[in-house]
């Protein structure tokens, strides 16, 4: 819905060959994700463009696509963009979790109709997988490894045989055959992969692609600035985030994430995930704090206040490591915001 105009323009100008069931060609889908200035299509994913090509080719070969990587590396965003480009819709989504059941993946029943009329297509309530197969659309399965193994394996037959059996019905209606264009994009965090390890049979039906953190500082800074500005505007903040404050924020996140300073000195690694997505969240909080409390854009001192909740999610020892970073690394840097970051270290709780 957000990029409907761009998708329409791409379809109008897309003269490339399209795989069966696809709304766009591979080149058109690629332009939707990486941008096309000539058509006014903005870049939406910051990362390796070769990864996008491999992902689209995987879906064109009717193999499932598994996106893995650290939390906050935009795996879900990429899966949503690909689904929108391939199918014209990205809302057929299964959110994996410990409480996810097969009914939420395949289908369930309207029990009032089931009791009064018996099993029929009228009493059948399709879930995303059944809808995707019947309509020939891409289904997104978020956090698949958070689901129990037997729930994960409900994908085996749809991915291999391209068919879903509904044994409660009879005749032709008891089998749903996947239309061209159906496929599954699943995501999994590498930190949580051991929660419910996928079976070897299910792994064979997916091509795995790893989404890495953004390696370039300037690219990550531009992304954080753009996304933070968009969120601040939606929150009613009347000023844009300050570039010098964001430079301090992104540098801090990158060093805490990599456990290495820009000069190559080793440092303690935090157990919390210091991802680009978390940096955007903190930048948003800094802007909201500065604007609604003081009528300004927010500064480095606000970063300290907002970092505490980010750094202390997994281990209280992370607060000690964060305090040590502020005491040892911030004074080594030049600039007003670095001095303010160091001076505000006492605002950390504990």
């Amino acid at each position: 819905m957000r990029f409907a105009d761009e998708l329409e323009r791409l379809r109008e100008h897309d003269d490339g060959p399209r795989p069966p069931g696809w709304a766009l060609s591979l080149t058109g889908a690629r332009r939707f994700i990486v941008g096309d200035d000539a058509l006014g299509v903005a870049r939406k994913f910051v990362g390796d463009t070769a990864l996008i090509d491999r992902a689209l080719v995987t879906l064109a070969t009717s193999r499932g696509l598994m996106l893995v990587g650290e939390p906050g590396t935009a795996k879900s965003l990429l899966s949503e963009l690909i689904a929108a480009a391939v199918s014209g819709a990205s809302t057929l989504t299964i959110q994996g979790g410990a409480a996810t059941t097969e009914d939420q993946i395949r289908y369930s029943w309207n029990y009032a109709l089931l009791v009064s009329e018996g099993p029929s297509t009228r009493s059948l309530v399709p879930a995303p997988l059944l809808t995707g197969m019947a309509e020939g659309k891409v289904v997104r399965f978020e956090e698949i490894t958070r689901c129990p193994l037997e729930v994960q394996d409900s994908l085996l037959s749809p991915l291999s045989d391209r068919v879903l059996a509904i044994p409660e019905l009879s005749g032709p209606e008891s089998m749903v055959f996947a239309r061209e264009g159906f496929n599954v994009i699943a995501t999994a965090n590498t930190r949580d992969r051991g929660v419910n390890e996928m079976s070897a049979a299910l792994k064979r039906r997916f091509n795995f692609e790893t989404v890495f953190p953004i390696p370039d500082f300037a690219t990550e800074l531009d992304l954080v600035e753009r996304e933070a500005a968009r969120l601040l505007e939606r929150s009613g903040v009347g000023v844009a985030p300050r570039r010098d404050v964001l430079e301090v924020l992104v540098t801090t996140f990158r060093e805490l994430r990599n456990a290495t300073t820009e000069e190559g000195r080793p440092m303690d690694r935090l157990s919390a995930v210091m991802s680009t997505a978390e940096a955007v969240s903190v930048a948003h909080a800094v802007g909201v704090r500065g604007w609604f409390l003081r009528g300004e854009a927010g500064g480095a001192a606000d970063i300290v206040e907002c970092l505490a909740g980010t750094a202390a999610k997994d281990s209280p020892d992370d607060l000690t490591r964060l305090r040590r970073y502020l005491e040892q690394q911030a004074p080594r840097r030049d600039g007003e915001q670095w001095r303010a970051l160091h001076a505000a270290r006492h605002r950390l709780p504990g």
Side-chain angles (χ1 to χ4, degrees):
M1 294 170 64
R2 182 177 169 193
F3 301 112
D5 292 342
E6 293 184 2
L7 287 168
E8 182 62 29
R9 283 198 300 274
L10 284 167
R11 281 192 287 267
E12 290 175 357
H13 294 84
D14 187 13
D15 54 2
R18 302 181 186 183
W22 281 39
L24 291 171
S25 66
L26 265 71
T27 55
R30 185 179 188 272
R31 289 200 301 270
F32 174 67
I33 298 169
V34 303
D36 186 332
D37 293 337
L39 291 178
V41 177
R43 185 183 183 97
K44 304 169 187 65
F45 176 75
V46 177
D48 184 11
T49 55
L51 164 65
I52 298 170
D53 292 339
R54 293 195 302 270
L56 292 172
V57 169
T58 292
L59 294 178
T61 61
S62 297
R63 285 184 61 84
L65 173 64
M66 174 68 68
L67 299 175
V68 300
E70 286 285 316
T73 50
K75 300 181 296 296
S76 297
L77 172 64
L78 181 57
S79 73
E80 190 171 8
L81 292 171
I82 293 175
V86 171
S87 300
S90 59
T91 55
L92 294 178
T93 306
I94 303 162
Q95 180 58 57
T100 302
T101 63
E102 288 191 30
D103 291 353
Q104 295 170 294
I105 298 173
R106 302 191 301 173
Y107 61 88
S108 59
W109 300 94
N110 181 322
Y111 289 102
L113 287 174
L114 186 65
V115 170
S116 63
E117 301 178 0
S120 66
T121 54
R122 213 165 82 87
S123 57
L124 183 71
V125 180
L129 184 65
L130 177 57
T131 302
M133 296 180 69
E135 298 180 1
K137 295 186 181 298
V138 172
V139 177
R140 300 168 53 225
F141 201 135
E142 295 290 314
E143 304 287 0
I144 188 171
T145 54
R146 292 187 179 276
C147 296
L149 188 61
E150 60 273 16
V151 174
Q152 296 178 27
D153 282 349
S154 64
L155 294 176
L156 287 174
S157 182
L159 284 175
S160 57
D161 302 328
R162 320 293 287 180
V163 64
L164 178 63
I166 307 177
E168 296 88 347
L169 300 179
S170 58
E173 296 173 341
S174 64
M175 302 289 282
V176 176
F177 295 93
R179 294 180 58 184
E180 297 286 0
F182 163 74
N183 216 321
V184 175
I185 304 176
T187 65
N189 288 330
T190 49
R191 290 201 177 198
D192 298 333
R193 191 184 293 183
V195 173
N196 290 292
E197 182 68 24
M198 295 172 63
S199 66
L202 186 57
K203 284 182 178 179
R204 287 196 300 270
R205 288 158 174 81
F206 282 99
N207 281 0
F208 281 65
E209 294 289 347
T210 302
V211 185
F212 293 99
I214 300 172
D216 180 63
F217 172 82
T219 302
E220 184 171 10
L221 176 60
D222 289 343
L223 174 63
V224 172
E225 183 176 31
R226 182 174 69 249
E227 292 301 311
R230 181 177 62 84
L231 292 173
L232 289 170
E233 183 180 1
R234 289 175 56 186
S235 297
V237 175
V239 293
R242 292 179 54 175
R243 181 82 174 187
D244 57 348
V245 174
L246 294 182
E247 288 177 356
V248 171
L249 172 63
V250 173
T251 300
T252 300
F253 263 74
R254 291 176 68 88
E255 292 184 342
L256 292 173
R257 180 195 310 154
N258 299 324
T260 307
T261 67
E262 288 184 334
E263 296 80 13
R265 293 189 298 270
M267 51 182 286
D268 293 332
R269 182 185 297 276
L270 271 63
S271 60
V273 177
M274 307 299 287
S275 65
T276 304
E278 289 282 3
V280 171
S281 178
V282 171
H284 182 205
V286 167
V288 168
R289 181 184 177 86
W291 178 253
F292 289 110
L293 295 182
R294 301 187 304 277
E296 60 183 37
D302 296 301
I303 293 177
V304 177
E305 297 274 6
C306 300
L307 265 178
T310 298
K313 289 179 180 177
D314 298 322
S315 169
D317 293 337
D318 281 345
L319 275 178
T320 303
R321 299 185 183 104
L322 178 58
R323 184 177 290 106
R324 186 180 302 123
Y325 173 84
L326 297 177
E327 292 174 347
Q328 296 178 358
Q329 303 302 328
R332 298 175 183 265
R333 311 296 168 75
D334 295 327
E336 173 190 352
Q337 296 303 328
W338 281 108
R339 290 192 293 272
L341 190 73
H342 178 254
R345 65 190 185 279
H346 66 277
R347 298 189 184 183
L348 287 176

